[in-house]
């Protein structure tokens, strides 16, 4: 049966492929596609894990003697569940047929069984689903404790080009883990349009639709899907006519994109000859290739935390140096702005929690980003030292996220001084004049921008968080995403204030939030005085085209009028006219 689901259009383009379902539980175990030649080894790993758990249950059971006890009955039941072919045999078929790793295979089968149990009316029988879960969890623990050969390495090179991931939710670290597998697209039930998950989809230039509410329940594995990331639509089991129509649309989009690519080597200058810097936002060293291909003039935002998400421990100074070195060398003399770790909230080194601490109710308002760096001076020093060490290899700048208070800036500058003097003590050279900038992503920072201008060399506006905090809208929550309005007059007032105040004192301002990569807003931002835009490489050609078609002297008076408007709808209308 064909049906259509509507959600948030977070990453444009069209993907056509097969549904590849991922459940919440599977996200807690690794979900890898096994190379064909490793499949039988994976089956053997599964069998070994089952045997070990069976043996462990047997030892406990024997220790209890023959007398009937509750615990004895419980173990007997778990042994029975473990021996049931539904759990002992079917996962092996899943491993063989779908080439899943063992953990993933058994968790998928568990979900199916649990769903069947949950339909049973009898309460006693229904509650046996808990026992199934417990048994599976025990097997998964055994597998996870002995990961064997089913590592990400084994999955590398496996192509997911015609697979569309369908999940209830995906964290940024889940998406980073998928990066190697080249999935065609992903769709989720939850998530907002400027969540880091959405940002990663745009960075990978794959179509994505989030906030579909119950796609994970309605879509079945291997069903054919069309994902229209431009309209926020997912069509399940489309008929031949619709498929043909979308194949055609997909081709047209590809043709448009390749036409834009021709702009790669042209200058990004407006019609009235104002030079506009178009820079790339990157998440890991390998992104340098696409940045250069898109014609980026440098890296305006290197989100360093992404390289180390979910890995469980903090990277050493040398590991960081190596990652930063690859980017600086790769950019061949172009400027590279390295942002210090923006960890916490949805981006964690430990996949299950923030730096091993307990979860807080409001992580976006908690110990994240620079607050966390200042609270962990050792980690912060190792990052600052690693950045300073690469600064002699190219044109490197340091960017600090989430600053809001003058004393935080002072503390940060003192930490930088400390890192510099320790390197001097060790006779390690670095750029003594390295520039340090602050991100403007908290309304307090935008309003009191003077405290930044007096202390820092440059500013970079992070509109994703700035909008989230100005409008009190969680950027990852699809339930309130309709209120996430970049054109809210309060947002525009803050942007205009920061850009014009910095201009008066000659401090460069760039923008690295998602707004900078939206060609519909390029003229508005040019009219406000913005001259440096940093965005996902895939967006650079479209923004460059807009820059080349704009005359700043014509745009300025219109933007001034727009900034006096108080209704988002009217602002929207005027921006459409500005782009006409
Ligand atoms: C921002 O907040 O706009 C920004 C660029 O930082 P991030 O998206 O990584 O929070
Ligand atoms: Mg931010």
């Amino acid at each position: 049966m064909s049906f259509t689901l509507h959600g948030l259009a977070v990453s444009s383009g069209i993907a056509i492929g097969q549904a590849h379902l991922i459940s919440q539980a599977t996200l807690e175990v690794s979900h890898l596609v096994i190379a064909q030649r490793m499949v039988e080894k994976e089956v053997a790993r599964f069998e070994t894990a089952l045997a070990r758990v069976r043996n462990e249950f047997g030892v406990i059971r024997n220790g209890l003697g023959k007398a009937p006890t509750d615990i004895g009955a419980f173990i007997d039941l778990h042994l029975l569940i473990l021996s049931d072919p539904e759990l002992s045999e079917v996962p092996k078929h899943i491993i063989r047929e779908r080439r899943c790793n063992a953990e993933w295979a058994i968790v998928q089968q568990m979900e199916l069984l649990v769903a069947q149990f949950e339909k049973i009316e009898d309460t006693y029988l229904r509650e046996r689903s808990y026992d199934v879960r417990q048994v599976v969890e025990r097997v998964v623990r055994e597998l996870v404790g002995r990961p064997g050969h089913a590592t990400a390495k084994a999955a590398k090179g496996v192509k997911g080009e015609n697979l569309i991931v369908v999940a209830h939710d995906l964290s940024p670290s889940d998406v980073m883990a998928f990066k190697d597998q080249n999935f065609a697209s992903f769709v989720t039930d939850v998530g907002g349009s400027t969540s880091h998950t959405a940002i990663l989809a745009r960075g990978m230039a794959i179509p994505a639709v989030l906030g579909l509410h119950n796609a994970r329940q309605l879509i079945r594995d291997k069903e054919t899907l069309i994902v229209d990331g431009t309209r926020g639509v997912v069509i399940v089991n489309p008929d031949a006519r619709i498929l043909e129509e979308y194949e055609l649309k997909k081709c047209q989009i590809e043709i448009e994109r390749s036409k834009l690519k021709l702009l790669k080597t042209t200058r990004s200058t407006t019609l009235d000859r104002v030079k506009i810097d178009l820079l790339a936002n990157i998440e890991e060293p390998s992104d340098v290739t696409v940045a250069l291909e898109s014609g980026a003039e440098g890296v305006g935002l290197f989100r360093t935390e992404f390289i180390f998400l979910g890995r469980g421990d903090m990277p050493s100074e040398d590991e960081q140096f190596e990652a930063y070195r690859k980017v600086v060398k790769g950019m061949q003399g172009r400027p590279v702005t390295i942002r210090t770790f923006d960890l916490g909230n949805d981006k964690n080194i430990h996949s299950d929690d923030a730096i091993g601490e307990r979860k807080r109710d409001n992580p976006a308002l908690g110990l994240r980003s620079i607050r966390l760096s200042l609270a962990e001076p050792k980690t912060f020093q190792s990052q600052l030292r690693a950045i300073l060490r690469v600064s002699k290899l190219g044109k490197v700048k340091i960017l600090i996220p989430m600053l809001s208070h003058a004393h935080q800036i002072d503390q940060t500058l003192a930490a930088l001084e400390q890192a510099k003097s320790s390197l001097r003590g060790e006779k390690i050279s670095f750029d003594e004049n390295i520039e340090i900038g602050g991100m403007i992503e908290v309304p307090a920072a935008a309003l009191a921008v003077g405290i930044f201008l007096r202390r820092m060399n440059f500013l970079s506006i992070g509109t994703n968080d700035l909008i989230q905090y100005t409008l009190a809208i969680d950027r990852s929550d699809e339930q309130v995403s309709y209120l996430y309005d970049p054109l809210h007059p309060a947002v525009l007032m803050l942007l205009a204030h920061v850009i014009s105040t910095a201009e008066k004192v000659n401090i460069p301002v760039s923008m690295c939030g998602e707004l900078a990569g939206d060609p519909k807003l390029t003229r508005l931002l040019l009219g406000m005085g913005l001259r440096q835009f940093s965005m996902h490489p895939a967006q650079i050609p479209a923004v460059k085209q807009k820059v080349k078609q704009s005359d700043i002297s014509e745009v300025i008076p219109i933007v001034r009028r727009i900034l006096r408007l108080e209704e988002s709808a009217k602002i929207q209308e005027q921006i459409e006219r500005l782009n006409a």
Side-chain angles (χ1 to χ4, degrees):
M1 190 190 58
S2 174
F3 60 96
T4 302
L5 299 170
H6 295 263
L8 301 171
V10 303
S11 184
S12 64
I14 287 168
I16 301 174
Q18 265 187 4
H20 184 66
L21 261 61
I22 290 187
S23 71
Q24 203 50 38
T26 59
L27 292 175
E28 282 149 26
V29 300
S30 46
H31 29 272
L32 306 169
V33 183
I34 303 292
Q36 188 60 51
R37 63 192 162 80
M38 307 298 267
V39 163
E40 284 313 313
K41 278 196 179 168
E42 195 61 8
V43 170
R45 193 168 78 88
F46 173 71
E47 283 174 337
T48 310
L50 276 194
R52 281 180 196 276
V53 175
R54 199 176 294 125
N55 189 38
E56 187 190 69
F57 284 169
V59 170
I60 303 173
R61 185 70 191 89
N62 290 340
L64 294 172
K66 287 211 164 38
T69 55
D70 282 353
I71 180 89
F74 174 78
I75 299 286
D76 286 341
L77 175 66
H78 280 205
L79 270 168
L80 212 67
I81 293 173
L82 193 64
S83 312
D84 192 306
E86 290 286 347
L87 277 188
S88 58
E89 291 301 320
V90 177
K92 290 194 240 169
H93 301 315
I94 299 179
I95 298 172
R96 289 193 176 105
E97 279 162 23
R98 300 187 206 157
R99 292 176 29 214
C100 301
N101 55 320
E103 297 85 327
W104 190 7
I106 192 169
V107 170
Q108 284 181 68
Q109 177 61 4
M110 172 196 79
E111 297 248 307
L112 204 86
L113 294 176
V114 165
Q116 284 169 4
F117 271 106
E118 278 164 5
K119 285 190 202 134
I120 300 176
E121 268 184 36
D122 182 284
T123 320
Y124 174 79
L125 285 177
R126 197 170 56 238
E127 289 187 351
R128 297 294 56 79
S129 67
Y130 297 122
D131 296 291
V132 173
R133 274 188 198 282
Q134 279 173 341
V135 170
V136 170
E137 271 163 20
R138 182 63 204 90
V139 178
V140 167
R141 271 208 304 280
E142 183 63 37
L143 285 163
V144 171
R146 297 167 203 276
H149 55 270
T151 59
K153 241 188 183 156
K156 259 196 180 158
V158 172
K159 301 282 179 215
E161 274 149 10
N162 61 351
L163 293 183
I164 295 171
V165 171
V166 181
H168 175 67
D169 192 11
L170 290 174
S171 70
S173 54
D174 296 324
V175 180
M176 288 301 280
F178 291 157
K179 238 178 158 178
D180 278 346
Q181 290 168 6
N182 294 325
F183 286 111
S185 162
F186 62 80
V187 302
T188 64
D189 293 339
V190 299
S193 55
T194 49
S195 62
H196 287 100
T197 301
I199 290 174
L200 282 173
R202 291 194 278 272
M204 289 152 77
I206 59 171
V209 179
L210 308 190
L212 286 160
H213 298 291
N214 41 18
R216 177 65 187 73
Q217 269 180 323
L218 297 173
I219 299 172
R220 269 178 278 140
D221 220 20
K222 297 203 169 131
E223 280 184 317
T224 301
L225 303 182
I226 295 175
V227 179
D228 183 341
T230 313
R231 287 171 51 232
V233 168
V234 177
I235 306 172
V236 186
N237 292 324
D239 61 32
R241 192 183 53 80
I242 299 281
L243 255 181
E244 201 179 319
E245 194 181 302
Y246 272 91
E247 294 278 10
L248 195 71
K249 274 192 193 175
K250 193 169 175 249
C251 279
Q252 281 163 346
I253 293 176
E254 274 155 23
I255 292 169
E256 282 308 312
R257 283 192 179 157
S258 44
K259 268 195 211 154
L260 279 177
K261 277 194 188 145
L262 298 176
L263 294 176
K264 179 186 160 184
T265 50
T266 62
R267 275 171 66 81
S268 62
T269 313
T270 60
L271 290 172
D272 47 347
R273 303 226 172 85
V274 180
K275 169 78 182 72
I276 306 299
D277 297 332
L278 301 182
L279 305 146
N281 289 354
I282 64 165
E283 276 85 40
E284 54 180 349
S286 60
D287 295 339
V288 162
T289 316
V290 252
L292 292 174
E293 276 167 11
S294 67
E297 293 161 84
V299 169
L301 170 66
F302 178 7
R303 290 181 163 103
T304 53
E305 65 281 359
F306 275 84
I307 323 174
F308 309 108
L309 284 193
R311 65 172 238 167
D313 60 352
M314 291 304 284
S316 68
E317 180 184 319
D318 285 346
E319 262 179 288
Q320 293 183 62
F321 172 78
E322 194 41 36
Y324 308 156
R325 189 192 65 79
K326 281 187 189 147
V327 173
V328 173
K329 282 279 173 203
M331 290 306 291
Q332 303 158 16
R334 295 172 182 83
V336 174
T337 302
I338 304 180
R339 181 173 75 178
T340 58
F341 291 144
D342 186 28
L343 286 165
N345 199 20
D346 58 342
K347 294 183 286 190
N348 295 305
I349 286 283
H350 296 263
S351 49
D352 56 343
D353 212 341
I355 306 274
E357 293 287 322
R358 73 179 169 85
K359 282 201 167 88
R360 307 281 163 166
D361 288 339
N362 284 313
L365 303 181
L367 191 63
R368 61 168 286 209
S369 204
I370 185 62
R371 301 169 185 181
L372 190 57
S373 295
L374 291 174
E376 304 263 342
K378 261 185 155 166
T379 312
F380 196 32
Q381 278 302 305
S382 79
Q383 181 165 39
L384 291 172
R385 282 174 53 101
I387 301 175
L388 285 169
R389 282 169 55 195
V390 293
S391 68
K392 66 171 196 297
L393 306 177
K395 185 153 179 32
V396 175
K397 299 182 202 180
I398 305 178
L399 180 60
I400 310 292
M402 274 284 286
L403 288 162
S404 51
H405 295 59
H407 62 77
Q408 277 179 315
I409 309 179
D410 294 338
Q411 243 182 301
T412 303
L413 295 175
L416 181 62
E417 264 321 305
Q418 190 189 337
K420 283 182 176 179
S421 78
S422 69
L423 288 175
R424 280 185 208 113
E426 292 165 38
K427 306 233 174 319
I428 298 175
S429 58
F430 58 88
D431 174 6
E432 287 280 352
N433 300 316
I434 190 165
E435 290 184 8
I436 178 163
M439 284 192 74
I440 303 294
E441 42 188 355
V442 179
L447 291 167
V449 67
I451 60 176
F452 285 76
L453 298 174
R454 280 191 288 278
R455 293 169 168 82
M456 310 213 89
N457 305 112
F458 66 96
L459 304 179
S460 185
I461 308 176
T463 52
N464 309 334
D465 277 314
L466 186 61
I467 299 169
Q468 149 163 280
Y469 295 126
T470 304
L471 302 179
I473 300 301
D474 181 344
R475 59 192 266 200
S476 341
D477 186 348
E478 75 291 348
Q479 297 180 83
V480 285
S481 65
Y482 71 102
L483 295 171
Y484 190 96
D485 178 11
L487 298 181
H488 190 293
V491 173
L492 299 190
M493 277 179 218
L494 291 176
L495 298 181
H497 173 69
V498 171
I499 296 168
S500 64
T501 315
E503 196 182 358
K504 280 185 202 130
V505 289
N506 255 326
I507 294 281
V509 190
S510 78
M511 181 177 284
C512 60
E514 295 300 285
L515 253 57
D518 183 348
K520 291 194 290 302
L521 303 182
T522 305
R523 284 192 179 155
L524 174 75
L525 298 172
L526 287 174
M528 283 183 185
L530 192 73
R531 300 293 176 261
Q532 274 183 23
F533 296 62
S534 191
M535 65 204 82
H536 275 301
Q539 290 303 108
I540 291 180
V543 172
K544 191 188 262 188
Q545 187 181 42
K546 203 74 192 176
V547 165
K548 291 172 94 65
Q549 296 165 341
S550 303
D551 185 320
I552 294 192
S553 60
E554 278 175 18
V555 163
I556 288 176
I558 308 173
V559 171
R560 279 207 188 116
R561 281 203 298 280
I562 291 177
L563 291 176
R564 284 198 290 269
L565 296 172
E566 285 187 338
E567 303 283 335
S568 292
K570 291 213 171 102
I571 295 174
Q572 178 74 51
E573 203 181 285
Q574 289 305 313
I575 289 176
E576 273 161 30
R577 290 181 63 181
L578 186 64
N579 282 319

